[in-house]
Amino acid sequence: RYLLVQAGKQLEHITGGLIKAGLHEVVVNEATTQVIERVKAQGTRPLIRISSTFFWHLSSDYDLEPIQSLQALAVDVRKQAGEDESEVQTYEKMKVGTQVQNELKHIALMA
């Protein structure tokens, strides 16, 4: 019994990148197919996985912009880690609704 909590894109934005959104991706490749076939042959467990996902975001008309103190801390952390600041994502002020639409376009769920 586990609970997985991933920091979302809006939390990443508000913290100026101090807290990074988690990446979730499902990939089926040859190794996955081999495991499925082995489990089928064994017949010892079901081949399904059930997950319950809950999405939440701030109100669409809320201004989404980094909290200055957290953004400054994010810059300090990146400097200590030796990261190149020229390659760091910027977090511009925008409405939450715009950010949600950008994410939906990014994952091809909105044209």
Side-chain angles (χ1 to χ4, degrees):
R1 296 180 181 111
Y2 298 94
L3 173 64
L4 171 64
V5 178
Q6 292 185 332
K9 288 287 192 170
Q10 292 174 15
L11 186 57
E12 179 176 326
H13 199 102
I14 287 175
T15 64
L18 181 63
I19 298 173
K20 295 290 188 185
L23 173 65
H24 175 77
E25 184 175 39
V26 177
V27 177
V28 175
N29 56 30
E30 184 62 32
T32 308
T33 306
Q34 290 172 1
V35 169
I36 291 170
E37 292 305 318
R38 187 176 72 241
V39 171
K40 271 185 189 177
Q42 292 171 348
T44 57
R45 64 181 193 187
L47 292 173
I48 63 170
R49 184 185 92 175
I50 299 172
S51 71
S52 177
T53 307
F54 175 78
F55 294 94
W56 175 88
H57 66 80
L58 300 166
S59 175
S60 293
D61 62 347
Y62 183 83
D63 287 327
L64 189 63
E65 70 179 310
I67 298 169
Q68 295 303 311
S69 60
L70 295 177
Q71 188 171 31
L73 183 56
V75 169
D76 289 344
V77 167
R78 288 191 298 268
K79 282 181 183 174
Q80 289 175 8
E83 292 183 26
D84 183 358
E85 282 296 313
S86 67
E87 297 179 13
V88 172
Q89 179 179 346
T90 58
Y91 300 90
E92 304 295 329
K93 181 177 178 179
M94 68 177 69
K95 295 290 185 187
V96 166
T98 301
Q99 185 271 330
V100 170
Q101 288 178 353
N102 290 345
E103 287 301 312
L104 290 174
K105 288 174 187 175
H106 179 73
I107 60 174
L109 289 179
M110 184 175 178

